[in-house]
Each structure stands twice: as structure tokens, then as C-alpha cells.
Amino acid sequence: MRRIDYDSLRETVYCEQLPNGLQVYVVPKPGFRKTFAAFATKYGSIDNHFQAQGGPEIRVPDGIAHFLEHKMFEEPTGDIFAQFASQGASANAFTGFERTVYIFSATERIAENLTTLIDFVQNPYFTDENVEKEKGIIGQEIKMYQDHPDWRSYYGLIAAMYREHPVRIDIAGTIESISQITKETLYDCYRTFYHPSNMMLVVAGGVHAEDVMALVRDNQAAKTFGPQREIRRFFPKEPPEVARRTLTVRLPVSLPKCLLGFKEPQHNLEGRALLERELCTKLVFDALFSPSSVQYQSLYDEHLSPTISVTITRSAPATVFPCSAATRKTPTVSWNASGNSWMRRCPTAFARKTSSAAGAKKSAASCVCSIRRRRSPTSLRITS
């Protein structure tokens, strides 16, 4: 077990890679009553075309990673959520573009809950019957999100930016795509991506590192896994330009939504280099759009509600800047390629100059969202 001290943060992390490839991290927090644990696999919604070493090339339906996450909570003995609840823990899971994560938090019976977390994720149970039943449940979830303004606007922007990359597809897939999922395809994905060598366990809270490591070592030593196999992922070639110039989504909402996205070149950065790029991108957007910026004050003065945040998509490099608007005015945001500046035309107009020498070249890879208020239900217009 290796110890890593972060003196500036006053944090200590203990880590170890087990013989089966599982990476385990423990962050002791003396004095904390609650403990958190996350068991994650490097498998997300974009992994729909892959090949495990020595195996055939496989294509699977969109949304299968999210579908698999749902099915993992079902065991022959019953629902795992009920077991966690009986042990005083709160459990959940989520699927992203590149990760699927299973989590719990608890203030007691930590060893018991940690064992439950590891065991249920490493014990899949799929049948024809429970797969068919889940299709109806997830189908209802997909329909529910079709009426969610934030969800529709975010994925509308992603779809406007990307032409080929699977990041443009909703994480849950579509009703048509999940109808093609079978227990066999679920087991193919599970065997490929849920091997311990492709997974990570993180525990943080009022725990002792050696006790956690000993529990995980013993748990994994008692199980048998297949050989570790390198996973090759296939992605289509994505053009640098955005896919669509204009996309309009109309929903019966009282508050319009505005999103602005930048499609970055594929950079294939990892580790520290990727972290530095993300931090620099966030700093730039903070300087341009934070509450202390001229842009923020201008939006506020024009009765816009500048609730601003920045999301960076790692799998297909992009930066998304959302804000909400509540005004009778008609703002339009556009990129002036010749002048390398952002132009925002309202009853009052202004231009924000940038120092980007490559601004004109990058303009084709930026998506701008403008919102127009109608007498009828408001419309969201996403313009790239």
C-alpha cells in the first residue's frame, strides 16, 4: 500500500493495485462520521463499438451502458437498494459518457456496506424476463427527460456540435435502441468492461486505510476472474466543424435557456496535462462570464438571469456555457469571425474583444445559443 501526502490540502491518500488489476484508493478523514464509497468502471455511453483482446469486434445498441447500470441492482434475492437501506446506507449509481459509478454513503456498518457494494457489482444477474421489464422502465425515463428543458437544451447543443461522435447521443439511448438490448449483449459488455482491471474503488471518510485495504484484498482473493484483456475502443472520425448551424427546441417553459458551446480539436490529453487544460479553460470562462465580469453585469442590467456554469466534456472535447434568461428583450449572441470578437446585439449592443489569433479558424467549431421570447410558449434556439 502506497501513501501519498498532499501537504497543501492536508490530505493523505492510500492506494494499491491488487493482483487482479483493481485500483483501490482510501482517503481517511479523522473525525468524520459519514463515509462515502464509489465503485467505478471505465465504461460509459460512448463505448458502443469495441473489441477485447483476442475477441471479435462488437457493436452494441446506444444506451446499453445506462441500461446495464440499472440491471446491476437486481439480484435473485431481491433489490439491492433494500439491502443497503436495511444496513443504514443510502445507495445510488450514475452513467456518464465515459464512466459508470456505483456509490453509497453511511455512518455505520461500513465494512458490511462496502462488501455489499463490491459483491453486487461483481455479480450480474440478467434474464430475458428482467431485461424486457427494464425496457419499459427506461423507456418511461427517456420520455420524462424529453420534457426536461435543461436536458433537452444540453443535448441539443451537443447534437449541434458533433456530427459523428457518439457523445452526441443521449446517455440513455432511445426507445428504439434499447429495444434491441438482450441479456447476451449485456453480458458481453459486462465481461469486457467490468473486469477489475478496468475498475476503481474509492473510499473516503472516518475509516482506517489498512482495515479497508484488508477487507478489499480478502474479498477479491476469494473470487475468480478471467484474464485481463486490453480493450480497444473505436470512434468515427469527427470533422472539426460543428454539425448544424441552427437548432430550435420549443417547450412550454416559463424561463428560456441559453447555452454556448465550443468544439475543441481532439487533443488526446491525459493525466496532469488534461487537468491543466480543463483548469485553464474554466479560468478563461470565469474571466469572461463570472459575476465580476463586464458580460455578467451587462446581462444582469438587461434583466437576464445569468446563472452561469461551465461543463467540460472530456470524451469529445467541448466546453458548454449555460445561462437562463427572463426578459422581454430579444438577445442574440454571435461570433464575429473577421474581428475575432463576441458580439451581443440587444437594445444596447457591445463587443467583447478577444486576443485569440486563431479565432477566425475556431469560429466554425463554436456553437452559440440564442433565446427568443414569443407570445406562445418560449422557444430555445441553438445556433452554431
Side-chain angles (χ1 to χ4, degrees), residues 179-196:
S179 69
Q180 305 170 34
I181 295 174
T182 66
K183 72 175 183 181
E184 288 75 22
T185 54
L186 289 173
Y187 276 119
D188 284 340
C189 293
Y190 182 87
R191 285 190 289 265
T192 301
F193 294 103
Y194 279 71
H195 190 279

Side-chain angles (χ1 to χ4, degrees), residues 20-41:
N20 62 14
L22 178 64
Q23 297 181 55
V24 185
Y25 295 84
V26 183
V27 186
K29 306 287 288 184
F32 276 52
R33 285 189 51 80
K34 183 172 284 190
T35 295
F36 300 85
F39 199 13
T41 173

Side-chain angles (χ1 to χ4, degrees), residues 165-180:
H165 198 285
V167 74
R168 69 189 302 276
I169 301 168
D170 193 308
I171 289 172
T174 64
I175 293 177
E176 292 74 22
S177 68
I178 65 171
S179 69
Q180 305 170 34

Side-chain angles (χ1 to χ4, degrees), residues 233-343:
R233 296 166 168 86
F234 302 96
F235 298 106
K237 185 177 181 179
E238 176 65 35
E241 300 81 12
V242 294
R244 300 178 62 176
R245 284 292 177 185
T246 303
L247 175 63
T248 301
V249 180
R250 301 179 187 276
L251 291 174
V253 295
S254 59
L255 188 67
K257 301 290 179 180
C258 174
L259 282 82
L260 170 67
F262 293 91
K263 183 179 180 182
E264 300 182 30
Q266 292 284 349
H267 48 64
N268 299 319
L269 298 177
E270 295 182 358
R272 184 183 181 89
L274 177 60
L275 178 61
E276 288 178 350
R277 186 182 184 93
E278 289 186 358
L279 290 174
C280 287
T281 302
K282 289 183 177 180
L283 283 172
V284 168
F285 271 77
D286 190 54
L288 291 175
F289 302 112
S290 70
S292 61
S293 68
V294 176
Q295 169 77 331
Y296 184 99
Q297 187 62 46
S298 174
L299 291 169
Y300 188 85
D301 290 343
E302 293 169 10
H303 307 290
L304 294 172
S305 176
T307 305
I308 296 172
S309 63
V310 176
T311 300
I312 297 178
T313 303
R314 289 189 176 190
S315 48
T319 304
V320 177
F321 152 62
C323 69
S324 301
T327 180
R328 294 182 178 275
K329 299 178 181 179
T330 307
T332 301
V333 187
S334 60
W335 173 264
N336 179 356
S338 60
N340 295 343
S341 63
W342 282 110
M343 302 290 296

Side-chain angles (χ1 to χ4, degrees), residues 213-232:
M213 289 293 186
L215 184 153
V216 178
R217 289 190 203 107
D218 292 344
N219 180 284
Q220 296 298 280
K223 299 175 181 178
T224 302
F225 301 94
Q228 300 180 23
R229 297 191 296 172
E230 182 181 352
I231 303 170
R232 185 182 178 189

